[in-house]
């Protein structure tokens, strides 16, 4: 399987993304509304999860996605039902974007029987075969070979589906990531590596962890094209995602998208975030917020007015409120659940 | 409706903290997500955000207050349109979530007090071993393994083989000879030398509906991949509430070969057998190899299949029946006897049988049990044997500490204590990294005479 020296096309000089302009008819008002709605759902869901954690109703680790919503919502807009999605432990947003039920996700966070894993997985370990969401993985970088394997299965089955494999800047230096990239390029597997660069792997900045900080170039050794994307802009994400999906579905192998994004909260709930300044966080919050950004666009383009925005707010608040309610009233798993699902058919 | 904002916990262990600073004052409108105050513990400072929008109606805890207990109401938010002055009087039920929890049906209450777990369900009895009384053919363990894979690949298009040198080279130990020619490069795949990566890729392929056979050139190299074997393959079914089965076989030679030094000579039986969520099989004969590998490929769970390089070239009789397959979890009594039970697996079964011949000459009638399956372990066959012989010698090539022999001793305590006439004796590899020098290596691995000696010891003669 000798590999021709295929020159990466879109990399090195950051490709000029074809940004949908205001009124660009490639994005319909309904699409914009739906992106806004999903991003807001993730934001409000995560805030509520943080609150329930603060009340002691959610235990263990809890990694919130607040600030990064545009990444998963923009990417989800580029794929079809059977395309696989897999990510790390910062996974609540991905599940909601995949269409998983907020109640089932929240109830898993509270460790109740109504959760997606019947309370046996927790925040970092949830799955939905129905929605092609393959987890929720707690070991940094482990989802990258697994996501590559999902792409392998797609190719083996001869279907046209892709695997969206998300990981953070923290995983980007894991050895297994490069082992997987090598095989993906060697075997031209339809996998898109989405690096959610939120600038800190726990408390260590990218600059202090990576010898080269242009993470989109980290596939160059394997000839994998990559591009850097404004991960705070859902439309920029979508546009880049479309290029990547087209590349992968066209049988050209893997593609890397480095999403420049930011998490407003700490790495996990117990992180005081002393490694960055309040000014830095505020700057992103006030100037770059993906939800505010899209909201102004919706108002400017007169797609929605204040009253309609308020109605969406109320609708989301109800979904999240119902989820929180369900998550507190769903019973804890029956003790007999201790022994189920250890082995199939045993 | 007014809302109480409660003192949050920053971590599962936090019980109280300091309310360091208010960012809002009575009468302010707050939006969902807006930072309203800062709290501090000895470890961290954290901002508290409003979850709902509203107007600050009352601040209940002053800035600078230390020792505020988690879940204490710290301020009241009045909802849209509600009068601020009325709010403090309003019933603060919306946010008093812990209170609500108390009102919840009994079943929803965290049952922290009752910590005792229900007993483990009984392991289902292994399927009875079918009687293959038809024609037998002679073949090597190597051929048996190859035939098992080929037959299953013919039967099921989702079965494929991947690993280092399995395709064009025909297998580092020639186990996959001829498979590339028959099944093509789509299903017989040479990988780069990246065990961690291809083991994880295999797990992903299994999640994606395929049935991978992942060959490790030796199990020593699988240590690079052990995170995916344990954390990804064996635990995901449980963590997903039963959604994500992982039908995958990890196979390859295990244990000492011949003078390849400590890094290439190690038995992993007890490592993998320690973990729930997997099967661990260790064949000895060619019939074991063929029947168990076919069963492993058909099993919907992750299977660790421990082969032995020294046995690849050994010939045994194997049933010719194309439907020949062995049940997982069934040990085999290779030699019946009445004086002492000797359990062994993989290459040590041969040594145990030789020892039994020696012992017979000396008037001791040993029963030799070939475990075949380490997990699940066929405890019934072992216990029934000991009920008859009242003595047990466990043989393994691996290290003694926390080894399979330790498990045998525990099994005797649990299920056969009253039948024992002597303490269980373990024959195992010496508790050292395996040396290279021929004489030292031989001393470090269990030999026939060690087994004979152990049998004499438990028989007091």
């Amino acid at each position: 399987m000798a590999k021709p020296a295929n020159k990466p096309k879109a990399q090195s000089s950051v490709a000029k993304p074809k940004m949908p302009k205001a009124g660009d008819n490639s994005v319909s008002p309904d699409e914009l509304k739906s992106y806004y709605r999903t991003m807001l759902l993730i934001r409000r869901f995560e805030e509520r999860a943080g609150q329930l954690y603060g009340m002691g109703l959610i235990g263990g680790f809890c990694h919130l996605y607040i600030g990064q919503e545009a990444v998963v919502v923009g990417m989800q807009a580029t794929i079809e039902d059977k395309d696989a999605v897999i990510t790390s432990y910062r996974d609540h947003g991905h599940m909601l974007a995949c269409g998983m039920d907020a109640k089932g996700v929240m109830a898993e966070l509270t460790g109740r029987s109504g959760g997606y894993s019947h309370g046996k997985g927790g925040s970092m370990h949830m799955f939905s075969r129905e929605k092609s969401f393959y987890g929720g993985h707690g070991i940094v970088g482990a989802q990258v070979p697994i996501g590559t394997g999902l792409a392998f299965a797609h190719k083996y089955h001869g279907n046209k589906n892709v695997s969206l494999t998300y990981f953070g800047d923290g995983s980007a230096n894991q050895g297994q990531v490069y082992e997987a990239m090598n095989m993906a390029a060697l075997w031209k597997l339809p996998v898109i590596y989405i690096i959610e660069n939120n600038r800190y792997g726990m408390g260590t900045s990218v600059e202090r962890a990576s010898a080269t900080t242009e993470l989109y170039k980290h596939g160059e050794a394997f000839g994998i094209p990559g591009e850097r994307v404004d991960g705070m802009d859902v439309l920029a994400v979508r546009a880049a995602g479309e290029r990547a999906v087209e590349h992968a579905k066209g049988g050209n192998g893997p593609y890397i998208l480095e999403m420049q994004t930011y998490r407003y909260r700490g790495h996990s709930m117990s992180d005081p975030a002393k490694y960055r300044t309040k000014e830095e966080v505020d700057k992103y919050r006030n100037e770059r917020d993906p939800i505010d950004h899209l909201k102004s666009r919706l108002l400017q383009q007169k797609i929605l007015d204040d009253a309609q925005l308020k109605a969406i707010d109320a609708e989301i608040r109800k979904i999240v409120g119902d989820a929180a309610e369900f998550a507190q009233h769903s019973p804890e798993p029956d003790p007999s659940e201790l022994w189920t699902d250890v082995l199939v058919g045993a | 409706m007014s809302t109480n904002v409660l003192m949050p916990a920053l971590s599962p262990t936090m019980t109280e903290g300091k309310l360091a600073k208010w960012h809002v004052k009575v009468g302010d409108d707050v939006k969902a997500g807006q930072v309203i105050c800062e709290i501090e513990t000895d470890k961290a400072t954290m901002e508290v955000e409003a979850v709902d929008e509203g107007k600050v109606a009352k601040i209940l805890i002053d800035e600078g207050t230390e020792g505020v207990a988690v879940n204490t109401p710290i301020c009241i938010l009045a909802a849209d349109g509600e009068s601020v002055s009325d709010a403090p009087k309003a019933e603060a039920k919306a946010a008093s979530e812990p209170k609500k929890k108390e009102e919840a049906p009994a079943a929803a209450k965290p049952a922290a007090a009752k910590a005792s777990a229900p007993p483990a369900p009984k392991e289902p009895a292994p399927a009875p071993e079918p009687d293959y009384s038809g024609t037998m053919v002679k073949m090597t363990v190597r051929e048996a393994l190859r035939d098992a894979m080929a037959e299953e690949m013919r039967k099921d298009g989702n079965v494929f083989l991947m690993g280092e040198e399995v395709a064009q080279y025909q297998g580092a130990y020639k186990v996959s000879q001829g498979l590339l020619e028959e099944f093509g490069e789509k299903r017989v795949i040479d990988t780069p030398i990246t065990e961690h990566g291809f083991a994880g890729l295999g797990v992903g392929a299994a999640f994606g509906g395929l049935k991978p056979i992942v060959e490790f050139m030796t199990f020593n190299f699988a240590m690079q991949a052990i995170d995916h074997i344990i954390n990804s393959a064996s635990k995901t079914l449980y963590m997903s509430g039963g959604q994500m089965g992982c039908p995958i076989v990890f196979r390859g030679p295990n244990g000492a070969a011949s003078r390849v030094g400590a890094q290439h000579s190690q038995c992993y039986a007890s490592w993998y057998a320690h973990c729930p969520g997997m099967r661990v099989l260790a064949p000895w004969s060619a019939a074991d190899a063929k029947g168990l590998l076919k069963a492993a490929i058909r099993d919907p769970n992750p299977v660790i299949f421990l082969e032995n390089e020294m046995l690849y070239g050994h010939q045994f009789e194997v049933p010719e029946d194309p439907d020949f397959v062995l049940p997982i979890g069934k040990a085999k009594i290779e030699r019946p006897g009445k004086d002492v039970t000797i359990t062994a697996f993989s290459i040590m079964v041969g040594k145990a049988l030789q020892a039994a011949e020696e012992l017979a000459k000396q008037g001791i009638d040993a029963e030799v049990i070939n475990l075949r399956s380490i997990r699940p372990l066929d405890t019934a066959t072992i216990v029934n044997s000991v009920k008859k012989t009242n003595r047990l010698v466990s043989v393994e090539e691996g290290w003694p500490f926390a080894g399979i022999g330790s498990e045998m001793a525990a099994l005797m305590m649990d299920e056969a204590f009253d039948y024992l006439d002597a303490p269980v004796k373990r024959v195992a590899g010496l508790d050292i990294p395996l040396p290279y020098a021929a004489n030292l290596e031989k001393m470090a691995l269990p030999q026939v005479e060690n087994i004979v000696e152990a049998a004499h010891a438990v028989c007091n003669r």
Side-chain angles (χ1 to χ4, degrees):
Chain A
M1 241 184 276
K3 218 180 118 31
N6 70 330
K7 244 203 143 38
K9 274 171 286 204
Q11 68 175 16
S12 296
S13 60
V14 183
K16 288 238 172 348
K18 65 167 195 327
M19 275 289 297
K21 295 281 176 299
D24 184 336
N25 55 16
S26 70
V27 183
S28 73
D30 279 348
E31 285 170 331
L32 287 176
K33 274 191 272 185
S34 115
Y35 305 156
Y36 176 76
R37 196 187 158 282
T38 310
M39 288 200 290
L40 195 65
L41 171 65
I42 296 171
R43 176 72 54 95
R44 294 289 171 260
F45 181 95
E46 293 290 66
E47 285 165 0
R48 182 58 72 97
Q51 188 200 32
L52 295 183
Y53 191 94
M55 292 161 63
L57 292 166
I58 295 173
F61 296 121
C62 186
H63 308 87
L64 302 182
Y65 197 62
I66 297 175
Q68 300 180 213
E69 297 89 345
V71 176
V72 75
V73 173
M75 285 307 301
Q76 200 64 27
T78 67
I79 58 169
E80 297 163 314
D81 273 357
K82 293 285 162 215
D83 292 326
V85 175
I86 187 166
T87 188
S88 71
Y89 40 78
R90 196 177 304 286
D91 55 355
H92 313 160
H94 300 72
M95 293 186 273
L96 296 173
C98 284
M100 288 167 68
D101 178 26
K103 285 182 184 165
V105 179
M106 196 70 96
E108 189 60 36
L109 298 184
T110 53
R112 303 303 174 95
S113 58
Y116 267 98
S117 302
H118 310 166
K120 288 153 67 167
S123 164
M124 304 186 285
H125 311 293
M126 270 181 261
F127 308 81
S128 169
R129 273 202 187 274
E130 189 205 343
K131 302 288 182 189
S132 301
F133 180 72
Y134 291 88
H137 293 268
I139 305 295
V140 172
Q143 75 277 20
V144 181
I146 298 174
T148 307
L150 290 166
F152 177 94
H154 283 318
K155 185 170 180 181
Y156 190 99
H157 285 130
N159 61 38
K160 276 284 168 205
N161 291 109
V162 297
S163 161
L164 297 191
T165 299
Y166 291 86
F167 54 103
D169 50 280
S171 308
N173 299 308
Q174 267 273 358
Q176 61 181 319
V177 168
Y178 297 94
E179 296 188 13
M181 282 183 179
N182 177 49
M183 286 182 279
L186 188 65
W187 301 334
K188 290 207 182 323
L189 303 179
V191 53
I192 296 159
Y193 297 116
I194 302 146
I195 307 176
E196 297 196 60
N197 180 358
N198 63 21
R199 301 192 40 199
Y200 299 91
M202 199 164 160
T204 304
S205 67
V206 173
E207 292 73 20
R208 297 201 301 122
S210 290
T212 58
T213 57
E214 291 166 304
L215 303 182
Y216 66 101
K217 290 185 179 175
H218 279 203
E220 270 187 359
F222 315 108
I224 306 176
E227 53 181 292
R228 189 171 256 182
V229 185
D230 179 359
M232 304 300 275
D233 178 346
V234 70
L235 297 182
V237 171
R238 193 185 98 147
E242 279 170 347
R243 287 190 290 276
V245 168
E246 192 188 333
H247 177 91
K249 290 199 173 178
N252 304 304
Y255 203 92
I256 295 173
L257 296 173
E258 178 192 348
M259 300 291 179
Q260 296 195 295
T261 182
Y262 200 78
R263 67 170 148 74
Y264 299 172
R265 294 295 196 93
H267 164 73
S268 64
M269 286 302 294
S270 52
D271 171 14
K274 296 273 194 208
Y275 44 81
R276 56 186 190 186
T277 63
K278 201 169 162 348
E279 289 68 39
E280 181 184 300
V281 182
D282 286 346
K283 201 170 153 59
Y284 273 93
R285 254 194 187 137
N286 299 331
E287 296 171 19
R288 306 283 311 281
D289 188 78
I291 298 176
D292 287 351
H293 186 88
L294 186 57
K295 189 179 189 175
S296 341
R297 189 187 191 104
L298 289 165
L299 285 168
Q300 259 170 30
Q301 293 180 223
K302 300 198 183 339
I303 295 169
L304 293 172
D305 61 22
D306 278 326
Q308 288 165 312
L309 284 169
K310 230 173 167 143
I312 294 177
D313 274 357
E315 181 215 345
I316 298 295
R317 212 171 23 242
K318 171 141 178 35
I319 294 172
V320 171
D322 289 350
E325 197 70 16
F326 177 77
Q328 291 169 73
H329 288 86
S330 172
E332 288 197 308
D334 189 85
S336 64
E337 280 278 356
L338 268 178
W339 299 105
T340 59
D341 309 323
V342 179
L343 288 162
V344 176
Chain B
M1 196 163 51
S2 65
T3 312
N4 273 358
V5 178
L6 306 177
M7 180 72 174
L10 302 183
S11 70
T13 51
M14 173 178 161
T15 54
E16 57 171 45
K18 175 182 176 185
L19 207 161
K21 189 173 187 334
W22 278 107
H23 287 262
V24 292
K25 55 184 191 308
V26 172
D28 283 358
D29 283 316
V30 298
K31 290 188 300 177
Q34 185 182 336
V35 174
I36 56 169
C37 67
E38 284 174 27
I39 58 172
E40 257 176 45
T41 66
D42 50 348
K43 282 187 292 203
T45 306
M46 197 84 145
E47 293 172 336
V48 179
E49 293 155 1
V51 173
D52 282 315
E53 59 185 10
K55 198 183 273 291
V56 179
K58 190 166 190 188
I59 283 178
L60 302 167
I61 304 284
D62 289 333
E63 175 168 303
T65 310
E66 308 246 10
V68 182
V70 166
N71 283 338
T72 308
I74 55 175
C75 88
I76 299 174
L77 291 185
D80 233 11
E82 195 180 28
S83 148
V84 168
S85 56
D86 287 351
K89 280 177 264 163
E91 258 193 277
K93 64 178 179 190
S96 57
E97 313 278 9
K99 198 167 156 220
K100 256 190 219 159
K101 225 176 65 194
E102 283 162 33
E103 290 159 4
K109 272 194 207 169
K114 192 175 168 287
S116 64
K122 263 263 175 252
E123 287 267 8
E129 189 168 338
D131 182 20
Y132 294 100
S133 47
T135 329
M136 302 292 267
V137 286
K138 273 205 163 224
M139 67 170 73
T140 62
V141 169
R142 174 181 286 116
E143 291 161 343
L145 293 168
R146 191 262 324 273
D147 288 358
M149 290 191 282
E151 287 174 21
E152 293 307 300
M153 288 174 78
R154 276 174 216 134
K155 227 171 66 109
D156 185 344
N158 284 336
V159 179
F160 71 96
L161 172 67
M162 69 189 297
E164 292 154 10
E165 311 292 2
V166 298
Q168 294 194 9
Y169 197 90
Q170 308 283 319
Y173 298 102
K174 297 287 176 282
V175 170
S176 53
Q177 195 138 37
L179 295 183
L180 175 64
E181 287 66 27
E182 181 173 352
F183 298 103
E185 60 181 19
K186 182 187 169 193
R187 298 180 66 194
V188 184
I189 303 157
D190 281 325
T191 64
I193 309 172
T194 53
E195 285 82 4
H196 196 186
F198 71 71
L201 192 149
V203 171
F207 289 159
L210 300 179
K211 295 180 178 171
I213 304 169
V214 175
E215 176 176 311
F216 292 115
M217 195 181 286
T218 85
F219 261 92
N220 300 288
F221 311 148
M223 268 209 273
Q224 299 254 9
I226 203 162
D227 176 61
H228 277 299
I229 298 173
I230 309 291
N231 272 321
S232 305
S234 83
K235 294 180 184 170
T236 304
L237 181 71
Y238 194 82
M239 296 192 300
S240 64
Q243 286 186 72
M244 302 288 295
C246 188
I248 191 168
V249 177
F250 296 106
R251 51 156 289 270
N254 169 66
S258 182
R259 304 198 56 206
V260 289
Q263 290 182 336
H264 287 68
S265 314
Q266 188 169 330
C267 175
Y268 287 89
S270 92
W271 289 53
Y272 291 111
H274 181 66
C275 307
M278 291 188 297
R279 318 273 197 197
V280 182
L281 307 180
W284 167 60
S285 69
D288 291 349
K290 186 171 182 198
L292 288 175
L293 185 51
K294 287 174 65 116
I297 295 167
R298 293 178 194 183
D299 197 88
N301 297 291
V303 180
I304 302 288
F305 198 84
L306 303 170
E307 300 161 10
N308 187 288
E309 186 195 330
M310 313 286 280
L311 291 174
Y312 280 151
H314 283 224
Q315 275 203 333
F316 294 86
E317 300 260 315
V318 178
E320 200 177 31
D321 188 335
D323 292 327
F324 169 66
V325 62
L326 286 172
I328 288 174
K330 191 94 188 87
K332 184 181 181 195
I333 298 173
E334 297 285 353
R335 181 193 194 282
K338 61 179 179 18
D339 294 332
V340 56
T341 301
I342 304 175
T343 60
F345 57 94
S346 189
I347 194 167
M348 286 297 144
V349 174
K351 295 240 196 284
L353 286 169
Q354 285 175 46
E357 294 306 313
E358 285 297 314
L359 289 163
K361 289 178 204 155
Q362 298 157 18
I364 295 176
D365 185 17
E367 175 147 306
V368 175
I369 298 178
N370 171 6
L371 297 177
R372 299 200 294 201
S373 172
I374 311 291
R375 187 164 178 147
L377 187 65
D378 184 357
T379 56
T381 296
I382 302 163
V383 169
N384 286 338
S385 173
V386 171
K387 282 181 178 172
K388 178 175 70 176
T389 64
N390 312 110
R391 292 169 174 87
L392 178 66
V393 172
S394 159
V395 186
E396 71 191 297
E397 192 184 87
W399 293 308
F401 191 92
I404 301 302
S406 314
E407 189 60 33
M408 290 296 165
L411 174 68
M412 293 299 103
M413 291 293 117
D414 287 343
E415 296 190 30
F417 186 71
D418 291 337
Y419 294 92
L420 285 178
D421 284 348
V424 174
K425 199 90 187 153
R426 289 180 293 167
V427 177
L430 296 191
D431 202 11
I432 51 172
L434 199 72
Y436 166 73
N439 63 329
L440 298 182
E441 184 186 62
K442 190 165 182 220
M443 283 184 247
L445 294 172
Q447 304 297 333
V448 173
E449 53 267 31
N450 304 120
I451 304 170
V452 170
E453 217 171 276
H456 276 291
V458 297
C459 292
N460 291 319
R461 48 186 159 129

